Amino acid sequence: MRRDSLRRASLATLSLLGFAHALPTELIDARAINSPPCGQLGDYMSPTPESWKNAGTGQWLDNWWAMNSPNFTNTTGIDPTLTTRRQGFASMLGRQFLGSPDWTCMDSGDAGNCILPASCGDFDTLNLSPAADIEPAYYVLSSTKNLHGYFMGLKASMTNAGIFAALSQANWANTFYMEKPAENNLLIRELLNAVVTIVGVAACFAAMGGLFAAVVAAGVGALFAGAAGAAYPFIIPAFVDDTYQQAGKMSAALSQLFMTTMTAFIHGNDELMAGRPLGDSGDIRGYLQDGNFVNFGGVNQTATMQLMSDMLTAKAINTLWRQQKIFILGGGPCDDSGGLGPGPQDGKLCRDGKAWYLFFWHEGKSISLTKSHWGYVEMPPGASQFGQVPYQNFNIQKVISSSLDAYNNAGLTYSSKNGYDRALSAIKEGWANPGAAGVGWEGIFTIPVCDIGHAVDPGYVVVKKQEILQEYGQGKVPQWCGDPIPNICSRSVDQYNAFIFAANMANFESPTAYCY
Protein backbone atom coordinates (compact mmCIF):
# COMPACT_ATOMS: atom_id res chain seq x y z
CA MET A 1 0.00 0.00 0.00
CA ARG A 2 2.81 2.39 0.90
CA ARG A 3 4.60 1.69 -2.37
CA ASP A 4 1.41 2.22 -4.36
CA SER A 5 0.95 5.53 -2.57
CA LEU A 6 4.50 6.54 -3.45
CA ARG A 7 3.93 5.67 -7.08
CA ARG A 8 0.77 7.73 -7.18
CA ALA A 9 2.49 10.60 -5.40
CA SER A 10 5.42 10.47 -7.81
CA LEU A 11 3.11 10.53 -10.81
CA ALA A 12 1.06 13.37 -9.35
CA THR A 13 4.21 15.37 -8.76
CA LEU A 14 5.40 14.78 -12.28
CA SER A 15 2.07 15.85 -13.74
CA LEU A 16 2.08 19.01 -11.68
CA LEU A 17 5.53 19.80 -12.97
CA GLY A 18 4.33 19.28 -16.49
CA PHE A 19 6.80 16.56 -17.31
CA ALA A 20 6.27 15.01 -20.71
CA HIS A 21 8.48 11.97 -21.11
CA ALA A 22 9.10 11.93 -24.83
CA LEU A 23 9.80 8.49 -26.21
CA PRO A 24 13.24 8.24 -27.83
CA THR A 25 12.96 7.76 -31.56
CA GLU A 26 14.02 4.15 -31.39
CA LEU A 27 11.38 3.22 -28.82
CA ILE A 28 8.18 1.62 -29.94
CA ASP A 29 5.25 4.02 -29.86
CA ALA A 30 2.46 1.50 -30.13
CA ARG A 31 -0.16 4.22 -30.37
CA ALA A 32 1.39 5.44 -33.60
CA ILE A 33 1.31 2.01 -35.22
CA ASN A 34 -1.38 1.58 -37.81
CA SER A 35 -0.29 -1.67 -39.40
CA PRO A 36 -2.56 -4.33 -40.87
CA PRO A 37 -3.51 -7.31 -38.71
CA CYS A 38 -0.58 -9.68 -38.29
CA GLY A 39 -1.84 -12.54 -36.25
CA GLN A 40 -1.83 -12.94 -32.53
CA LEU A 41 0.93 -10.41 -31.87
CA GLY A 42 -1.18 -7.58 -33.24
CA ASP A 43 -3.28 -7.67 -30.07
CA TYR A 44 -0.31 -7.03 -27.77
CA MET A 45 1.38 -3.97 -29.21
CA SER A 46 0.18 -1.61 -26.47
CA PRO A 47 1.52 -3.37 -23.36
CA THR A 48 0.72 -2.27 -19.82
CA PRO A 49 1.65 -3.64 -16.39
CA GLU A 50 -1.87 -5.05 -16.20
CA SER A 51 -1.54 -6.95 -19.47
CA TRP A 52 1.87 -8.24 -18.29
CA LYS A 53 0.24 -9.67 -15.17
CA ASN A 54 -2.82 -11.00 -16.98
CA ALA A 55 -0.59 -12.93 -19.36
CA GLY A 56 1.26 -14.57 -16.48
CA THR A 57 4.49 -13.09 -17.85
CA GLY A 58 6.40 -13.31 -14.59
CA GLN A 59 5.87 -17.05 -14.30
CA TRP A 60 6.56 -17.51 -18.00
CA LEU A 61 9.87 -15.67 -17.61
CA ASP A 62 10.84 -17.77 -14.59
CA ASN A 63 10.13 -20.95 -16.56
CA TRP A 64 12.04 -19.69 -19.58
CA TRP A 65 14.92 -18.64 -17.33
CA ALA A 66 15.14 -22.05 -15.67
CA MET A 67 15.33 -23.70 -19.07
CA ASN A 68 17.74 -21.30 -20.78
CA SER A 69 19.97 -19.73 -18.12
CA PRO A 70 22.45 -22.66 -18.15
CA ASN A 71 23.27 -21.62 -21.71
CA PHE A 72 23.69 -17.90 -21.03
CA THR A 73 27.46 -18.39 -20.84
CA ASN A 74 27.77 -21.80 -22.48
CA THR A 75 27.43 -21.98 -26.25
CA THR A 76 28.55 -25.59 -26.59
CA GLY A 77 26.24 -27.35 -28.98
CA ILE A 78 24.41 -24.12 -29.83
CA ASP A 79 26.66 -21.92 -31.94
CA PRO A 80 30.45 -21.97 -31.42
CA THR A 81 30.81 -18.69 -33.30
CA LEU A 82 29.00 -16.68 -30.61
CA THR A 83 31.26 -14.06 -29.03
CA THR A 84 31.16 -13.11 -25.35
CA ARG A 85 28.97 -10.11 -26.12
CA ARG A 86 26.56 -12.35 -27.98
CA GLN A 87 25.97 -14.53 -24.96
CA GLY A 88 23.72 -13.99 -21.98
CA PHE A 89 20.09 -13.27 -21.24
CA ALA A 90 19.29 -10.63 -23.85
CA SER A 91 21.20 -12.38 -26.62
CA MET A 92 19.45 -15.67 -25.87
CA LEU A 93 16.10 -13.87 -25.88
CA GLY A 94 16.93 -12.19 -29.18
CA ARG A 95 18.12 -15.43 -30.72
CA GLN A 96 14.93 -17.31 -29.86
CA PHE A 97 12.29 -14.67 -30.55
CA LEU A 98 13.91 -12.20 -32.97
CA GLY A 99 16.17 -14.56 -34.86
CA SER A 100 19.25 -12.55 -33.91
CA PRO A 101 21.85 -13.26 -31.23
CA ASP A 102 23.17 -9.73 -31.89
CA TRP A 103 20.21 -8.36 -29.93
CA THR A 104 22.41 -8.03 -26.81
CA CYS A 105 21.28 -4.68 -25.34
CA MET A 106 24.87 -4.18 -24.16
CA ASP A 107 26.44 -0.73 -23.95
CA SER A 108 28.87 -1.59 -26.71
CA GLY A 109 28.55 1.51 -28.84
CA ASP A 110 26.21 -0.32 -31.22
CA ALA A 111 23.01 1.72 -31.26
CA GLY A 112 21.20 -1.03 -33.15
CA ASN A 113 21.71 -3.90 -30.71
CA CYS A 114 18.48 -3.31 -28.75
CA ILE A 115 15.89 -2.20 -31.31
CA LEU A 116 12.51 -3.83 -31.86
CA PRO A 117 10.59 -3.73 -35.14
CA ALA A 118 8.01 -0.97 -35.37
CA SER A 119 5.37 -3.18 -36.99
CA CYS A 120 4.01 -6.42 -35.62
CA GLY A 121 4.31 -7.85 -39.11
CA ASP A 122 8.09 -7.57 -38.93
CA PHE A 123 8.38 -9.91 -35.93
CA ASP A 124 8.88 -12.91 -38.22
CA THR A 125 10.47 -15.21 -35.66
CA LEU A 126 8.16 -14.26 -32.81
CA ASN A 127 5.04 -14.67 -34.96
CA LEU A 128 6.13 -18.24 -35.72
CA SER A 129 6.68 -19.08 -32.05
CA PRO A 130 4.27 -21.28 -30.07
CA ALA A 131 1.07 -19.36 -29.36
CA ALA A 132 1.58 -19.53 -25.60
CA ASP A 133 4.93 -17.75 -25.93
CA ILE A 134 4.05 -14.87 -28.21
CA GLU A 135 2.42 -12.47 -25.74
CA PRO A 136 4.76 -12.93 -22.73
CA ALA A 137 7.85 -13.03 -24.95
CA TYR A 138 6.86 -9.72 -26.56
CA TYR A 139 6.35 -8.13 -23.14
CA VAL A 140 9.76 -9.34 -21.94
CA LEU A 141 11.43 -8.09 -25.11
CA SER A 142 9.78 -4.68 -24.73
CA SER A 143 10.68 -4.43 -21.04
CA THR A 144 14.29 -5.45 -21.65
CA LYS A 145 14.61 -2.86 -24.38
CA ASN A 146 13.12 -0.15 -22.16
CA LEU A 147 15.40 -1.03 -19.25
CA HIS A 148 18.37 -0.67 -21.58
CA GLY A 149 16.97 2.69 -22.69
CA TYR A 150 16.77 3.72 -19.03
CA PHE A 151 20.46 3.04 -18.52
CA MET A 152 21.42 4.81 -21.72
CA GLY A 153 19.26 7.79 -20.77
CA LEU A 154 21.04 8.02 -17.45
CA LYS A 155 24.39 7.83 -19.16
CA ALA A 156 23.42 10.67 -21.50
CA SER A 157 22.15 12.75 -18.57
CA MET A 158 25.34 12.26 -16.61
CA THR A 159 27.61 13.17 -19.49
CA ASN A 160 25.61 16.27 -20.43
CA ALA A 161 27.88 19.29 -20.75
CA GLY A 162 25.49 21.29 -18.59
CA ILE A 163 26.48 19.28 -15.53
CA PHE A 164 30.13 20.08 -15.96
CA ALA A 165 29.32 23.71 -16.67
CA ALA A 166 27.53 23.82 -13.31
CA LEU A 167 30.62 22.37 -11.66
CA SER A 168 32.83 25.11 -13.03
CA GLN A 169 31.52 27.16 -10.04
CA ALA A 170 33.30 30.32 -11.19
CA ASN A 171 31.16 32.58 -8.98
CA TRP A 172 30.19 30.33 -6.09
CA ALA A 173 32.76 31.65 -3.65
CA ASN A 174 32.11 35.25 -4.65
CA THR A 175 28.35 34.84 -4.36
CA PHE A 176 27.89 32.70 -1.26
CA TYR A 177 30.83 33.69 0.90
CA MET A 178 31.28 37.09 2.51
CA GLU A 179 35.06 36.83 2.60
CA LYS A 180 37.74 34.34 1.53
CA PRO A 181 36.80 30.86 2.80
CA ALA A 182 38.95 29.36 5.49
CA GLU A 183 40.71 26.06 4.88
CA ASN A 184 38.49 23.15 5.75
CA ASN A 185 39.41 19.81 4.19
CA LEU A 186 36.63 17.96 6.03
CA LEU A 187 33.83 19.97 4.47
CA ILE A 188 35.37 19.70 1.02
CA ARG A 189 35.52 15.93 1.37
CA GLU A 190 31.93 15.92 2.61
CA LEU A 191 30.93 17.64 -0.63
CA LEU A 192 32.81 15.12 -2.73
CA ASN A 193 31.42 12.17 -0.81
CA ALA A 194 27.90 13.53 -1.29
CA VAL A 195 28.24 13.45 -5.08
CA VAL A 196 27.72 9.70 -5.36
CA THR A 197 24.54 9.97 -3.30
CA ILE A 198 23.26 12.75 -5.55
CA VAL A 199 23.90 10.70 -8.68
CA GLY A 200 22.11 7.73 -7.11
CA VAL A 201 19.14 9.91 -6.17
CA ALA A 202 18.98 11.24 -9.72
CA ALA A 203 19.06 7.69 -11.10
CA CYS A 204 16.08 6.69 -9.00
CA PHE A 205 14.28 9.92 -9.81
CA ALA A 206 14.68 9.12 -13.51
CA ALA A 207 13.22 5.67 -12.94
CA MET A 208 10.35 6.89 -10.78
CA GLY A 209 9.27 9.08 -13.66
CA GLY A 210 7.88 5.95 -15.30
CA LEU A 211 4.76 3.94 -14.66
CA PHE A 212 6.07 1.45 -12.17
CA ALA A 213 6.03 0.63 -8.49
CA ALA A 214 8.45 1.27 -5.68
CA VAL A 215 9.77 -2.26 -6.02
CA VAL A 216 11.72 -1.01 -9.02
CA ALA A 217 13.25 1.65 -6.82
CA ALA A 218 14.54 -1.19 -4.68
CA GLY A 219 16.33 -2.57 -7.70
CA VAL A 220 17.66 0.82 -8.74
CA GLY A 221 18.63 1.33 -5.12
CA ALA A 222 20.90 -1.69 -5.35
CA LEU A 223 22.53 -0.13 -8.39
CA PHE A 224 22.77 3.13 -6.44
CA ALA A 225 24.50 1.27 -3.62
CA GLY A 226 26.91 -0.33 -6.06
CA ALA A 227 27.80 2.99 -7.64
CA ALA A 228 28.26 4.66 -4.28
CA GLY A 229 30.27 1.75 -2.96
CA ALA A 230 32.71 2.14 -5.82
CA ALA A 231 33.36 5.79 -5.11
CA TYR A 232 32.61 6.26 -1.39
CA PRO A 233 34.47 7.51 0.49
CA PHE A 234 36.43 9.46 -2.11
CA ILE A 235 39.78 10.62 -0.77
CA ILE A 236 41.37 13.65 -2.36
CA PRO A 237 44.80 15.15 -1.79
CA ALA A 238 44.91 17.92 0.81
CA PHE A 239 44.25 21.32 -0.67
CA VAL A 240 46.66 24.09 0.10
CA ASP A 241 43.76 26.50 -0.12
CA ASP A 242 40.30 24.97 0.18
CA THR A 243 38.43 27.64 -1.74
CA TYR A 244 36.30 27.36 -4.83
CA GLN A 245 38.74 29.52 -6.70
CA GLN A 246 40.78 26.39 -7.39
CA ALA A 247 38.33 25.37 -10.09
CA GLY A 248 40.79 23.09 -11.85
CA LYS A 249 41.37 20.82 -8.86
CA MET A 250 37.76 20.75 -7.79
CA SER A 251 36.45 20.13 -11.30
CA ALA A 252 38.97 17.34 -11.77
CA ALA A 253 37.89 15.68 -8.53
CA LEU A 254 34.18 15.96 -9.31
CA SER A 255 34.74 14.78 -12.89
CA GLN A 256 36.55 11.71 -11.57
CA LEU A 257 33.59 10.97 -9.32
CA PHE A 258 31.18 11.25 -12.22
CA MET A 259 33.31 8.91 -14.29
CA THR A 260 33.33 6.37 -11.46
CA THR A 261 29.58 6.45 -10.98
CA MET A 262 28.84 6.47 -14.70
CA THR A 263 31.06 3.42 -15.14
CA ALA A 264 29.07 1.69 -12.40
CA PHE A 265 25.79 2.44 -14.20
CA ILE A 266 27.11 1.12 -17.49
CA HIS A 267 28.40 -1.95 -15.70
CA GLY A 268 24.93 -2.43 -14.22
CA ASN A 269 23.30 -2.50 -17.66
CA ASP A 270 25.74 -5.04 -19.02
CA GLU A 271 25.54 -7.29 -15.96
CA LEU A 272 21.75 -7.43 -16.12
CA MET A 273 21.66 -8.01 -19.88
CA ALA A 274 24.15 -10.85 -19.46
CA GLY A 275 21.79 -12.49 -16.97
CA ARG A 276 24.02 -11.93 -13.95
CA PRO A 277 22.75 -10.64 -10.59
CA LEU A 278 23.31 -7.03 -9.61
CA GLY A 279 23.66 -6.20 -5.93
CA ASP A 280 20.90 -7.34 -3.62
CA SER A 281 18.24 -6.81 -6.29
CA GLY A 282 19.14 -10.08 -8.01
CA ASP A 283 19.04 -10.52 -11.76
CA ILE A 284 17.07 -8.64 -14.38
CA ARG A 285 13.81 -10.32 -13.39
CA GLY A 286 13.73 -8.17 -10.26
CA TYR A 287 13.64 -5.07 -12.45
CA LEU A 288 11.13 -6.39 -14.97
CA GLN A 289 8.69 -7.94 -12.50
CA ASP A 290 5.04 -6.89 -12.63
CA GLY A 291 5.60 -5.17 -15.97
CA ASN A 292 7.53 -2.33 -14.35
CA PHE A 293 9.34 -1.41 -17.55
CA VAL A 294 6.92 -2.77 -20.13
CA ASN A 295 5.70 0.71 -21.14
CA PHE A 296 8.43 2.88 -19.61
CA GLY A 297 8.57 6.03 -21.71
CA GLY A 298 12.24 6.86 -21.33
CA VAL A 299 14.37 9.07 -19.12
CA ASN A 300 13.61 12.76 -19.00
CA GLN A 301 17.22 13.78 -19.48
CA THR A 302 16.56 17.49 -19.00
CA ALA A 303 14.87 16.99 -15.65
CA THR A 304 17.48 14.47 -14.49
CA MET A 305 20.34 16.75 -15.47
CA GLN A 306 18.68 19.73 -13.76
CA LEU A 307 18.21 17.73 -10.57
CA MET A 308 21.85 16.69 -10.43
CA SER A 309 23.01 20.21 -11.24
CA ASP A 310 20.76 21.73 -8.55
CA MET A 311 21.78 19.24 -5.87
CA LEU A 312 25.48 19.58 -6.61
CA THR A 313 25.22 23.36 -6.54
CA ALA A 314 23.26 23.18 -3.28
CA LYS A 315 25.93 21.02 -1.66
CA ALA A 316 28.59 23.49 -2.77
CA ILE A 317 26.59 26.37 -1.27
CA ASN A 318 26.10 24.39 1.92
CA THR A 319 29.85 23.77 2.12
CA LEU A 320 30.57 27.49 1.84
CA TRP A 321 27.83 28.47 4.28
CA ARG A 322 29.00 25.90 6.81
CA GLN A 323 32.28 27.81 7.04
CA GLN A 324 30.49 30.99 8.11
CA LYS A 325 28.28 32.10 10.99
CA ILE A 326 25.08 30.82 9.40
CA PHE A 327 22.45 29.05 11.48
CA ILE A 328 18.76 28.31 12.06
CA LEU A 329 16.72 29.28 15.13
CA GLY A 330 13.12 28.30 15.71
CA GLY A 331 10.53 26.09 17.30
CA GLY A 332 8.15 28.78 18.53
CA PRO A 333 4.67 29.55 17.15
CA CYS A 334 4.34 30.62 13.54
CA ASP A 335 2.75 33.94 14.48
CA ASP A 336 5.75 34.99 16.62
CA SER A 337 3.50 35.19 19.68
CA GLY A 338 5.90 33.31 21.94
CA GLY A 339 7.60 36.40 23.35
CA LEU A 340 10.96 35.52 21.78
CA GLY A 341 11.09 38.47 19.42
CA PRO A 342 10.07 38.86 15.78
CA GLY A 343 12.05 36.78 13.31
CA PRO A 344 12.72 37.81 9.70
CA GLN A 345 9.64 37.06 7.65
CA ASP A 346 11.65 36.71 4.43
CA GLY A 347 13.85 34.10 6.07
CA LYS A 348 11.08 32.02 7.63
CA LEU A 349 9.62 28.54 7.27
CA CYS A 350 6.44 27.62 9.09
CA ARG A 351 6.23 23.83 9.42
CA ASP A 352 4.00 21.75 11.65
CA GLY A 353 2.85 24.88 13.46
CA LYS A 354 6.38 26.02 14.31
CA ALA A 355 8.44 28.85 12.86
CA TRP A 356 12.08 28.46 11.84
CA TYR A 357 14.42 31.23 10.69
CA LEU A 358 17.67 31.30 8.71
CA PHE A 359 20.34 33.79 9.84
CA PHE A 360 23.79 34.99 8.92
CA TRP A 361 25.65 36.87 11.64
CA HIS A 362 27.53 39.62 9.89
CA GLU A 363 30.54 40.39 12.06
CA GLY A 364 31.11 43.96 13.16
CA LYS A 365 34.10 46.02 12.13
CA SER A 366 34.06 48.80 14.72
CA ILE A 367 36.52 48.53 17.61
CA SER A 368 34.25 50.52 19.93
CA LEU A 369 31.79 48.60 22.11
CA THR A 370 28.72 49.80 20.25
CA LYS A 371 26.11 47.85 18.37
CA SER A 372 28.16 48.17 15.19
CA HIS A 373 30.98 46.40 17.01
CA TRP A 374 28.80 43.36 17.67
CA GLY A 375 27.66 43.07 14.07
CA TYR A 376 24.10 42.18 13.07
CA VAL A 377 22.03 39.41 11.51
CA GLU A 378 20.95 39.35 7.90
CA MET A 379 20.13 36.99 5.05
CA PRO A 380 23.02 34.63 4.20
CA PRO A 381 25.28 35.72 1.34
CA GLY A 382 23.81 34.87 -2.05
CA ALA A 383 20.38 33.84 -0.74
CA SER A 384 18.84 36.90 -2.38
CA GLN A 385 19.56 35.26 -5.74
CA PHE A 386 17.36 32.26 -4.99
CA GLY A 387 14.48 32.00 -7.42
CA GLN A 388 16.57 33.43 -10.24
CA VAL A 389 18.55 31.56 -12.90
CA PRO A 390 20.60 29.46 -12.22
CA TYR A 391 19.10 29.14 -8.73
CA GLN A 392 15.48 29.12 -9.87
CA ASN A 393 14.71 25.92 -7.93
CA PHE A 394 16.13 27.23 -4.65
CA ASN A 395 14.49 29.10 -1.79
CA ILE A 396 15.20 29.70 1.88
CA GLN A 397 12.34 27.45 2.91
CA LYS A 398 14.00 24.47 1.20
CA VAL A 399 17.29 25.26 2.93
CA ILE A 400 15.58 25.28 6.33
CA SER A 401 13.48 22.18 5.63
CA SER A 402 16.47 20.17 4.40
CA SER A 403 18.54 21.20 7.41
CA LEU A 404 15.71 20.50 9.87
CA ASP A 405 15.28 16.97 8.52
CA ALA A 406 19.01 16.39 8.83
CA TYR A 407 18.99 17.75 12.39
CA ASN A 408 16.01 15.60 13.38
CA ASN A 409 17.78 12.51 12.06
CA ALA A 410 21.34 13.01 13.31
CA GLY A 411 21.48 16.23 15.29
CA LEU A 412 24.37 18.56 14.52
CA THR A 413 26.63 15.76 13.26
CA TYR A 414 24.81 14.81 10.04
CA SER A 415 27.41 13.58 7.55
CA SER A 416 27.56 12.46 3.93
CA LYS A 417 27.32 8.88 5.22
CA ASN A 418 24.03 9.76 6.96
CA GLY A 419 22.83 11.28 3.70
CA TYR A 420 23.73 8.16 1.76
CA ASP A 421 22.01 5.83 4.24
CA ARG A 422 18.84 7.90 4.41
CA ALA A 423 18.50 8.35 0.65
CA LEU A 424 19.05 4.65 0.05
CA SER A 425 16.52 3.78 2.77
CA ALA A 426 13.91 6.13 1.29
CA ILE A 427 14.38 4.69 -2.18
CA LYS A 428 14.52 1.02 -1.30
CA GLU A 429 11.77 1.08 1.32
CA GLY A 430 9.57 3.44 -0.66
CA TRP A 431 8.85 6.02 2.04
CA ALA A 432 10.02 9.03 0.00
CA ASN A 433 11.27 10.10 -3.41
CA PRO A 434 14.41 12.19 -2.71
CA GLY A 435 14.58 13.37 -6.30
CA ALA A 436 11.11 14.89 -6.15
CA ALA A 437 12.19 16.93 -3.10
CA GLY A 438 15.15 18.35 -5.02
CA VAL A 439 17.37 20.70 -3.03
CA GLY A 440 14.90 20.48 -0.14
CA TRP A 441 15.74 16.82 0.44
CA GLU A 442 17.12 15.90 3.85
CA GLY A 443 20.81 16.62 4.25
CA ILE A 444 21.38 18.51 1.02
CA PHE A 445 21.71 21.43 3.42
CA THR A 446 22.99 20.86 6.96
CA ILE A 447 22.83 24.35 8.47
CA PRO A 448 23.15 24.10 12.31
CA VAL A 449 19.80 24.21 14.13
CA CYS A 450 18.96 25.54 17.59
CA ASP A 451 15.49 24.62 18.86
CA ILE A 452 14.25 27.49 21.04
CA GLY A 453 10.67 26.24 21.30
CA HIS A 454 10.97 25.59 25.03
CA ALA A 455 11.65 29.29 25.65
CA VAL A 456 7.98 30.05 24.96
CA ASP A 457 7.22 28.53 28.37
CA PRO A 458 6.47 31.42 30.81
CA GLY A 459 8.52 29.52 33.37
CA TYR A 460 11.64 29.99 31.27
CA VAL A 461 12.91 33.37 32.46
CA VAL A 462 16.14 34.87 31.16
CA VAL A 463 17.39 38.37 30.49
CA LYS A 464 16.40 39.73 27.05
CA LYS A 465 14.28 36.72 26.24
CA GLN A 466 12.33 38.91 23.84
CA GLU A 467 15.51 39.46 21.82
CA ILE A 468 16.41 35.83 21.14
CA LEU A 469 15.07 36.41 17.63
CA GLN A 470 15.67 39.53 15.55
CA GLU A 471 14.68 40.69 12.12
CA TYR A 472 17.34 41.23 9.46
CA GLY A 473 19.19 44.54 9.39
CA GLN A 474 21.97 46.65 10.83
CA GLY A 475 21.62 47.14 14.55
CA LYS A 476 19.79 43.83 14.97
CA VAL A 477 21.80 41.88 17.53
CA PRO A 478 20.08 38.75 18.94
CA GLN A 479 20.83 38.06 22.61
CA TRP A 480 21.06 34.52 23.94
CA CYS A 481 21.32 34.95 27.67
CA GLY A 482 21.24 32.21 30.29
CA ASP A 483 20.51 31.58 33.91
CA PRO A 484 23.42 32.16 34.24
CA ILE A 485 24.90 30.01 31.41
CA PRO A 486 23.21 30.28 28.00
CA ASN A 487 21.00 27.27 27.30
CA ILE A 488 18.55 28.48 24.66
CA CYS A 489 18.99 25.35 22.49
CA SER A 490 16.61 22.69 23.80
CA ARG A 491 17.18 24.18 27.28
CA SER A 492 20.58 22.47 27.38
CA VAL A 493 23.98 24.04 27.96
CA ASP A 494 25.66 21.16 26.13
CA GLN A 495 23.32 21.49 23.16
CA TYR A 496 23.89 25.25 23.09
CA ASN A 497 27.67 24.80 23.13
CA ALA A 498 27.50 22.20 20.35
CA PHE A 499 25.37 24.58 18.29
CA ILE A 500 27.76 27.49 18.86
CA PHE A 501 30.68 25.34 17.72
CA ALA A 502 28.82 24.04 14.63
CA ALA A 503 27.81 27.60 13.68
CA ASN A 504 31.42 28.82 13.87
CA MET A 505 30.71 31.10 16.82
CA ALA A 506 33.07 29.70 19.45
CA ASN A 507 34.68 32.60 21.35
CA PHE A 508 32.27 34.96 19.60
CA GLU A 509 30.92 37.36 22.21
CA SER A 510 28.19 39.10 20.25
CA PRO A 511 25.28 36.75 21.21
CA THR A 512 25.73 37.64 24.91
CA ALA A 513 27.02 41.20 24.54
CA TYR A 514 24.09 42.83 26.36
CA CYS A 515 23.09 40.04 28.73
CA TYR A 516 24.82 41.30 31.88
Side-chain angles (χ1 to χ4, degrees):
M1 180 66 71
R2 179 175 55 186
R3 289 175 175 173
D4 290 340
S5 297
L6 175 61
R7 175 170 58 179
R8 289 193 296 270
S10 298
L11 294 174
T13 301
L14 291 171
S15 64
L16 287 171
L17 292 175
F19 286 169
H21 290 282
L23 288 172
T25 55
E26 74 274 14
L27 291 180
I28 295 174
D29 188 345
R31 293 166 297 183
I33 295 176
N34 187 23
S35 57
C38 46
Q40 183 178 345
L41 181 59
D43 297 329
Y44 310 136
M45 297 296 285
S46 298
T48 65
E50 288 70 28
S51 61
W52 167 291
K53 295 173 186 176
N54 292 338
T57 308
Q59 185 60 57
W60 179 91
L61 178 56
D62 285 340
N63 295 340
W64 182 91
W65 190 282
M67 181 178 299
N68 292 278
S69 59
N71 294 319
F72 284 174
T73 57
N74 178 15
T75 60
T76 302
I78 300 178
D79 186 345
T81 67
L82 291 179
T83 64
T84 300
R85 281 198 175 274
R86 297 169 71 196
Q87 299 176 28
F89 162 74
S91 181
M92 181 71 72
L93 198 68
R95 180 182 179 85
Q96 289 190 16
F97 298 109
L98 297 174
S100 172
D102 291 321
W103 199 80
T104 65
C105 294
M106 293 284 185
D107 184 31
S108 61
D110 179 3
N113 71 357
C114 203
I115 294 178
L116 293 179
S119 169
C120 57
D122 294 329
F123 282 85
D124 296 336
T125 303
L126 182 58
N127 279 320
L128 294 175
S129 299
D133 291 341
I134 293 178
E135 181 178 11
Y138 175 71
Y139 293 161
V140 173
L141 286 165
S142 297
S143 298
T144 302
K145 177 186 179 300
N146 291 343
L147 179 61
H148 173 73
Y150 162 75
F151 278 101
M152 296 305 98
L154 280 177
K155 177 183 177 182
S157 299
M158 292 172 65
T159 56
N160 190 296
I163 295 276
F164 295 94
L167 298 183
S168 66
Q169 26 65 6
N171 296 316
W172 285 352
N174 294 334
T175 302
F176 296 99
Y177 203 93
M178 186 61 66
E179 296 177 353
K180 176 182 175 294
E183 294 186 9
N184 193 324
N185 284 331
L186 174 62
L187 287 175
I188 296 297
R189 287 194 179 95
E190 283 288 291
L191 167 63
L192 293 173
N193 287 337
V195 170
V196 289
T197 300
I198 290 170
V199 173
V201 165
C204 297
F205 173 75
M208 287 180 180
L211 297 172
F212 65 99
V215 67
V216 172
V220 179
L223 178 61
F224 168 23
Y232 178 86
F234 183 71
I235 305 300
I236 60 172
F239 284 81
V240 175
D241 179 14
D242 282 325
T243 74
Y244 283 77
Q245 303 306 317
Q246 297 210 14
K249 288 185 179 180
M250 182 60 67
S251 294
L254 292 178
S255 296
Q256 182 175 341
L257 273 173
F258 270 109
M259 186 60 65
T260 300
T261 51
M262 184 176 71
T263 299
F265 282 125
I266 296 170
H267 172 74
N269 174 86
D270 290 356
E271 288 293 289
L272 292 173
M273 296 305 164
R276 291 188 286 268
L278 185 64
D280 61 5
S281 67
D283 55 53
I284 194 171
R285 289 173 293 173
Y287 287 75
L288 305 187
Q289 63 180 315
D290 296 328
N292 290 325
F293 274 92
V294 74
N295 59 354
F296 180 64
V299 172
N300 186 325
Q301 295 180 23
T302 300
T304 303
M305 187 202 75
Q306 185 66 55
L307 175 67
M308 284 192 286
S309 178
D310 285 346
M311 283 189 161
L312 288 167
T313 300
K315 290 303 296 184
I317 294 170
N318 183 70
T319 300
L320 288 168
W321 279 2
R322 286 299 310 274
Q323 297 182 51
Q324 302 174 78
K325 294 177 175 60
I326 295 176
F327 53 90
I328 294 168
L329 293 181
C334 287
D335 61 1
D336 290 334
S337 63
L340 309 180
Q345 298 306 300
D346 49 349
K348 174 181 180 179
L349 168 69
C350 183
R351 193 173 88 170
D352 299 327
K354 296 181 179 181
W356 303 89
Y357 305 91
L358 180 66
F359 294 96
F360 165 57
W361 202 307
H362 191 293
E363 293 190 37
K365 301 297 182 182
S366 171
I367 60 173
S368 61
L369 298 184
T370 62
K371 278 201 170 184
S372 60
H373 171 76
W374 304 116
Y376 55 91
V377 290
E378 63 176 348
M379 185 178 290
S384 60
Q385 296 194 26
F386 288 171
Q388 307 172 40
V389 176
Y391 312 110
Q392 65 270 26
N393 296 321
F394 290 65
N395 59 49
I396 284 178
Q397 290 70 36
K398 291 180 180 179
V399 174
I400 298 174
S401 183
S402 174
S403 300
L404 271 179
D405 289 339
Y407 174 76
N408 290 335
N409 180 256
L412 297 170
T413 61
Y414 196 97
S415 68
S416 58
K417 183 61 166 62
N418 292 120
Y420 164 78
D421 290 340
R422 291 284 287 172
L424 184 57
S425 170
I427 290 163
K428 294 187 69 174
E429 297 172 21
W431 54 266
N433 182 347
V439 298
W441 171 248
E442 174 189 309
I444 295 296
F445 287 93
T446 57
I447 305 303
V449 173
C450 173
D451 186 346
I452 60 174
H454 69 91
V456 175
D457 183 354
Y460 181 76
V461 179
V462 294
V463 175
K464 297 192 177 293
K465 174 178 174 178
Q466 73 280 6
E467 296 181 24
I468 292 176
L469 294 172
Q470 292 277 7
E471 297 177 330
Y472 294 149
Q474 294 192 27
K476 302 297 184 179
V477 185
Q479 292 300 287
W480 304 335
C481 306
D483 52 356
I485 302 174
N487 64 348
I488 64 164
C489 302
S490 303
R491 206 162 192 168
S492 165
V493 173
D494 290 342
Q495 189 69 13
Y496 173 80
N497 289 336
F499 164 75
I500 288 294
F501 178 80
N504 304 296
M505 292 193 288
N507 302 315
F508 184 56
E509 298 179 351
S510 296
T512 58
Y514 297 110
C515 288
Y516 313 106

